[in-house]
């Protein structure tokens, strides 16, 4: 007795294969019973009623299609029904789901069970099918890419393309084919919540239980468990991903059927992925950044520059001493000998800045990127490189560094692929730059260095990286710098202001949505900041004056969240003054500051008299107290909310 188990997504030819098997079995003189599991009750009694006759006949062939409708009977079949079959009987089962582990756990089935998985067609077979269907050759690549070589989907898409005489550049997944494909590939789902989970899974690069919880609520664990059991959903290192065609048709169907619901879902997913990208650490940073940018894949402009393969043959790795010769060879080949000399200097000065990209087939680097960190204490190094010197000069002429802030320069972005054109390695390097935008602490300015070539200019503008007006010569090559001051916009806000997810034409060049004037953050020098703090304290009880204060548009206020900036500023001032009271060494300063600005003593003499101090002592305490308040707020401005007031 033998069992043949055929499984694969709907539309991959299981039913056709079973019919061919039945015809050949009859031709060989065997008694054949064909059963469609959709037509029987999914119980032992139902199975016996439809297929039990095979027990009493000479060795025959039982063929059951759509076995997934009664696959819960597997334990009974394995342990009770199938062992009762006559010697020589053959059972053929076809299901969207693969066989359970029960078959492997029973040694008796190791030779009797034969499993065949059906999936997409080979590329050559897909092209042959289109040729036989008389589809124009110019549509081959378009239809194959859309259907992922899925047999039934390819036939349906080909019929529509022929019927509507569609040109390659005008092909879109037709609304008429989507319901048929969904019914074929996905079938019925248990509830609207399960359908929503599928739609989230289709829209996202990878789906985790956390993503489902953020978008669908408390049902997330059960929905995630259901998703991972579906035959068209794969489990990977970072989460669940549907089959490419299932992803495309579900996402396209919701986008066409319910545009408002699609946008609402996109917003919920986007907010969660922004949080995930910001909180990721270590090796999870790059995948989290890819998951966030993946939401823009339908934009015809963005997809010209980026791709979202996270399990490809290229991966990022640390640059090791043994990579030095290969790295310098890559840079010299792409950017010339002078650039290689400069790279050699930076490899000695900042070896940790270099990342290499390796192919799974070889340990040798196929691409390299340096993310240089520039601070005032390495100013001598800056001048050794024309690119970093130009970046530093631009920063100094616009808004200089403050405190622990630094400048970052993406340098030597080269690979074995055609120089600085879309490729797997270039894709990872661009995403690494964006990950650094999100995660670098105390980043004031960033500069991306690219060959002087207009190809990337529109993309850089799209992500708000502004082109410097002059080129930088290095040896015989010229380079263009794209700059951004990260103190003007909060990282999270920059991520939220990215290009719209709505599909755009392939020639469109969307612009980064500019900040409203009220949203742009103010970058103050220390002297300007201290003066603004004094003026704000002096205006403590005047809302209109506080609203006009430059402090109302600083980072420390933006970090408080979307609340009224005046209320946030008042709270910050109050907390800074209260911090004096909490420090025993500064308590006397707290009394002087409170008397002057909180209680509003009309003159310094009146304030000194109320405190029982001489005017000179009062002024000294007030000055020291104000300095503490300014230091406290300056730390918040530069370092964020997790800082404490200075002690004396």
């Amino acid at each position: 007795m033998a069992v043949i188990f055929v499984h694969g997504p709907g539309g991959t030819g299981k039913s056709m294969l079973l019919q061919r098997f039945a015809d050949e079995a009859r031709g060989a003189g065997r008694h054949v019973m064909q059963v469609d599991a959709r037509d029987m009750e999914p119980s032992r009694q139902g199975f016996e009623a439809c297929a039990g006759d095979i027990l009493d006949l000479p060795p025959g062939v039982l063929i059951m299609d759509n076995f997934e409708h009664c696959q819960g009977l597997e334990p009974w079949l394995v342990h009770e029904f199938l062992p009762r079959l006559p010697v020589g009987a053959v059972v053929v089962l076809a299901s969207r789901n693969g066989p359970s582990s029960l078959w492997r756990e029973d040694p008796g089935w190791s030779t009797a069970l034969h499993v065949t998985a059906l999936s997409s067609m080979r590329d050559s077979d897909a092209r042959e099918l289109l040729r036989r269907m008389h589809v124009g050759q110019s549509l081959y690549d378009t239809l194959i890419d859309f259907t992922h070589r899925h047999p039934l989907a390819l036939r349906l898409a080909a019929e529509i393309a022929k019927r509507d005489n569609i040109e390659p550049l005008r092909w879109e997944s037709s609304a008429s084919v989507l319901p048929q494909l969904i019914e074929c590939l996905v079938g019925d789902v248990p509830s609207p919540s399960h359908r929503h989970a599928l739609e989230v899974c289709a829209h996202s690069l990878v789906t985790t239980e956390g993503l489902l919880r953020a978008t669908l609520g408390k049902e997330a664990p059960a929905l995630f468990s259901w998703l991972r059991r579906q035959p068209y959903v794969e489990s990977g290192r970072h989460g669940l991903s549907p089959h490419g065609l299932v992803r495309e048709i579900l996402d396209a169907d919701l986008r066409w059927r319910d545009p408002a619901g699609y946008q609402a879902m996109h917003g919920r997913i986007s907010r969660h992925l922004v949080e995930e990208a910001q909180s990721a650490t270590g090796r999870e940073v790059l995948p989290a950044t890819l998951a966030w940018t993946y939401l823009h894949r339908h934009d015809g402009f963005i997809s010209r520059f980026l791709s979202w393969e996270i399990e490809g043959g290229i991966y990022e790795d640390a640059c090791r001493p043994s990579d030095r010769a290969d790295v310098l060879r890559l840079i010299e080949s792409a950017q010339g000998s002078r650039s290689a000399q400069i790279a050699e200097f930076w490899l000695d000065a900042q070896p940790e800045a270099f990342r290499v990209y390796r192919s799974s087939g070889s340990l040798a680097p196929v691409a390299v990127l340096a993310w240089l960190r520039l601070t005032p204490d390495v100013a001598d190094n800056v001048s050794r490189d024309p690119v970093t010197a130009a970046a530093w000069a631009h920063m100094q002429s616009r808004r200089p560094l403050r405190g622990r802030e630094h400048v970052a320069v993406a340098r030597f972005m080269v690979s074995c692929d055609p120089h600085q054109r879309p490729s797997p390695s270039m894709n990872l390097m661009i995403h690494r730059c964006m990950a650094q935008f999100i995660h670098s602490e105390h980043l004031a300015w960033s500069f991306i260095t690219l060959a002087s070539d207009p190809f990337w200019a529109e993309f850089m503008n799209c992500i708000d990286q502004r082109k410097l007006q002059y080129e930088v010569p290095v040896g015989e090559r010229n380079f263009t710098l794209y700059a951004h001051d990260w103190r003007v916009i909060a990282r999270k806000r920059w991520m939220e202001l990215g290009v719209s997810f709505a599909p755009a034409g392939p020639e469109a060049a969307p612009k980064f949505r500019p900040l409203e004037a009220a949203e742009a953050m103010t970058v103050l020098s220390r002297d300007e900041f201290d003066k603004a703090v004094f003026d704000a304290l002096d205006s403590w009880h005047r809302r209109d004056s506080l609203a006009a204060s430059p402090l109302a548009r600083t980072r420390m206020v933006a970090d408080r969240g979307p609340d009224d900036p005046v209320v946030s500023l008042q709270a910050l001032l109050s907390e800074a003054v209260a911090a004096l009271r909490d420090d025993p060494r500064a308590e006397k300063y707290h009394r002087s500051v409170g008397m002057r600005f909180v209680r509003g003593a009309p003159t310094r003499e009146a304030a000194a008299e109320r405190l029982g101090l001489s005017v000179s002592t009062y002024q000294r305490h007030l000055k020291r107290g104000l300095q503490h308040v300014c230091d406290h707020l300056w730390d918040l401005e530069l370092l964020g909310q997790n800082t404490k007031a200075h002690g004396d």
Side-chain angles (χ1 to χ4, degrees):
M1 194 261 293
V3 174
I4 299 172
F5 200 119
V6 181
H7 68 94
T12 50
K14 298 187 299 297
S15 298
M16 185 178 296
L17 182 63
L18 262 60
Q19 186 57 54
R20 175 71 177 271
F21 195 95
D23 292 343
E24 293 198 3
R26 289 190 179 99
R30 301 292 291 268
H31 177 75
V32 176
M33 293 187 61
Q34 287 183 265
V35 179
D36 189 328
R38 293 175 298 183
D39 299 331
M40 62 175 243
E41 181 183 284
S43 65
R44 297 181 183 187
Q45 294 78 12
F47 195 98
E48 293 265 18
C50 291
D53 287 351
I54 195 172
L55 297 171
D56 303 320
L57 296 171
V61 178
L62 170 63
I63 298 177
M64 178 169 287
D65 201 358
N66 298 298
F67 180 59
E68 68 271 9
H69 288 275
C70 64
Q71 205 154 347
L73 296 175
E74 268 184 296
W76 171 74
L77 286 174
V78 170
H79 298 304
E80 297 186 37
F81 182 82
L82 295 178
R84 293 156 53 198
L85 294 183
V87 175
V90 176
V91 175
V92 183
L93 304 173
S95 173
R96 294 187 179 190
N97 307 314
S100 74
S101 59
L102 288 170
W103 303 88
R104 297 189 300 273
E105 293 168 358
D106 188 334
W109 289 108
S110 60
T111 57
L113 177 67
H114 307 276
V115 180
T116 300
L118 300 182
S119 58
S120 300
M121 305 171 73
R122 293 179 298 183
D123 186 78
S124 57
D125 292 337
R127 293 177 185 276
E128 176 62 17
L129 173 62
L130 293 176
R131 187 190 68 78
R132 293 187 181 188
M133 293 183 69
H134 306 292
V135 174
Q137 192 169 356
S138 61
L139 272 171
Y140 283 12
D141 289 339
T142 301
L143 297 180
I144 287 171
D145 288 345
F146 167 67
T147 61
H148 297 261
R149 304 191 308 278
H150 182 280
L152 179 58
L154 189 60
R155 291 185 65 90
L156 291 172
E159 291 291 351
I160 290 171
K162 287 197 305 178
R163 182 193 69 198
D164 298 341
N165 196 26
I166 296 174
E167 299 176 5
L169 293 179
R170 298 181 61 85
W171 166 264
E172 292 180 2
S173 51
S174 168
S176 62
V177 75
L178 292 177
Q180 298 176 61
L181 291 177
I182 292 172
E183 173 62 28
C184 169
L185 297 173
V186 177
D188 295 330
V189 295
S191 73
S193 293
H194 290 79
R195 180 59 178 258
H196 294 328
L198 273 176
E199 290 162 350
V200 169
C201 192
H203 194 61
S204 310
L205 180 60
V206 291
T207 297
T208 63
E209 192 172 305
L211 175 59
L212 291 181
R213 187 179 302 111
T215 53
L216 300 176
K218 62 183 180 181
E219 294 182 274
L223 293 173
F224 185 82
S225 178
W226 176 80
L227 276 176
R228 73 190 306 178
R229 294 196 304 269
Q230 301 313 300
Y232 44 80
V233 174
E234 297 178 351
S235 296
R237 182 158 57 97
H238 303 287
L240 303 179
S241 301
H243 181 277
L245 178 59
V246 173
R247 179 193 295 283
E248 293 302 326
I249 63 173
L250 284 171
D251 203 57
D253 181 64
L254 180 61
R255 191 166 65 245
W256 168 80
R257 176 170 47 84
D258 184 7
Y262 186 79
Q263 290 190 38
M265 178 189 70
H266 174 88
R268 291 191 297 272
I269 294 173
S270 179
R271 286 188 290 273
H272 175 76
L273 293 181
V274 165
E275 297 287 347
E276 290 287 293
Q278 289 186 302
S279 62
T281 58
R283 289 187 173 272
E284 297 306 310
V285 167
L286 208 52
T289 306
L290 284 158
W292 163 60
T293 63
Y294 184 74
L295 295 182
H296 301 301
R297 71 190 183 280
H298 291 306
D299 190 296
F301 173 78
I302 294 294
S303 59
R304 285 165 46 194
F305 300 94
L306 301 181
S307 63
W308 292 273
E309 293 295 330
I310 63 174
E311 302 291 353
I314 304 296
Y315 64 96
E316 184 183 76
D317 196 12
C319 183
R320 306 186 182 102
S322 58
D323 295 320
R324 186 183 183 97
D326 290 323
V327 164
L328 294 175
R329 192 178 305 113
L330 281 169
I331 293 172
E332 182 171 10
S333 175
Q335 298 186 346
S337 59
R338 178 62 183 137
S339 288
Q341 293 170 1
I342 295 170
E344 193 164 17
F345 165 76
W346 285 118
L347 275 167
D348 292 331
Q350 292 189 26
E352 72 284 354
F354 285 76
R355 289 177 170 85
V356 297
Y357 299 83
R358 308 183 196 275
S359 168
S360 57
S362 170
L363 291 179
V366 298
V368 60
L369 164 70
W371 185 263
L372 302 173
R373 180 186 173 96
L374 309 180
T375 55
D377 61 326
V378 298
D380 291 342
N381 290 347
V382 168
S383 62
R384 301 279 295 269
D385 180 352
V387 168
T388 56
W392 192 262
H394 181 83
M395 174 273 296
Q396 293 280 54
S397 69
R398 299 302 193 276
R399 288 181 286 268
L401 300 182
R402 310 168 304 172
R404 293 193 236 176
E405 293 174 343
H406 72 277
V407 172
V409 180
R411 193 77 169 88
F412 312 115
M413 196 180 294
V414 302
S415 73
C416 293
D417 301 307
H419 187 42
Q420 292 184 343
R421 285 294 185 270
S423 67
S425 55
M426 191 68 183
N427 182 63
L428 285 177
M429 289 189 283
I430 290 291
H431 276 93
R432 168 51 64 186
C433 289
M434 289 195 283
Q436 294 298 118
F437 294 162
I438 298 168
H439 286 276
S440 295
E441 292 186 357
H442 316 312
L443 175 62
W445 286 88
S446 67
F447 294 85
I448 294 182
T449 313
L450 293 169
S452 291
D453 178 340
F455 180 82
W456 290 97
E458 289 182 329
F459 175 78
M460 289 295 155
N461 184 64
C462 176
I463 60 173
D464 203 30
Q465 310 303 302
R466 303 306 172 89
K467 179 182 177 181
L468 271 59
Q469 294 306 307
Y470 50 87
E471 296 181 347
V472 181
V474 180
E476 298 180 354
R477 314 291 175 93
N478 288 337
F479 294 88
T480 298
L481 292 179
Y482 296 89
H484 187 95
D485 186 345
W486 292 98
R487 299 164 299 182
V488 175
I489 179 173
R491 317 292 174 84
K492 184 175 181 179
R493 188 66 178 136
W494 173 77
M495 296 173 78
E496 292 170 346
L497 284 173
V499 293
S500 169
F501 76 92
E507 302 305 319
K511 307 298 184 185
F512 184 89
R513 287 181 284 161
L515 288 171
E516 299 292 337
E519 285 187 293
M521 291 194 293
T522 301
V523 182
L524 301 172
S525 68
R526 181 61 196 262
D527 289 343
E528 293 169 334
F529 187 87
D530 287 357
K531 181 181 184 303
V533 170
F534 181 87
D535 291 342
L537 287 169
D538 212 30
S539 306
W540 190 303
H541 302 292
R542 297 197 300 275
R543 179 180 174 83
D544 56 340
S545 297
L546 286 179
S549 169
L551 294 179
R553 297 185 300 279
T554 53
R555 172 189 171 179
M556 65 178 184
V557 171
D559 283 350
R560 302 284 290 203
D563 297 336
D564 182 339
V566 171
V567 173
S568 295
L569 178 55
Q570 286 174 324
L572 285 165
L573 293 171
S574 179
E575 291 165 8
V577 172
L580 295 174
R581 181 190 60 215
D582 297 336
D583 184 350
R585 297 169 297 175
E587 199 277 334
K588 56 188 176 183
Y589 308 142
H590 172 264
R591 291 196 300 270
S592 294
V593 171
M595 182 60 67
R596 170 68 176 84
F597 297 107
V598 181
R599 301 178 194 172
T603 64
R604 61 184 181 179
E605 290 79 10
E609 182 179 354
R610 293 179 188 179
L611 292 171
L613 300 173
S614 66
V615 172
S616 61
T617 300
Y618 163 74
Q619 287 184 307
R620 185 171 67 255
H621 288 183
L622 179 63
K623 181 179 179 181
R624 296 296 298 275
L626 284 173
Q627 188 61 53
H628 276 260
V629 170
C630 289
D631 288 347
H632 177 99
L633 294 173
W634 185 246
D635 278 350
L636 289 178
E637 176 67 7
L638 295 188
L639 308 178
Q641 295 292 332
N642 296 322
T643 56
K644 297 180 180 179
H646 286 273
D648 184 17

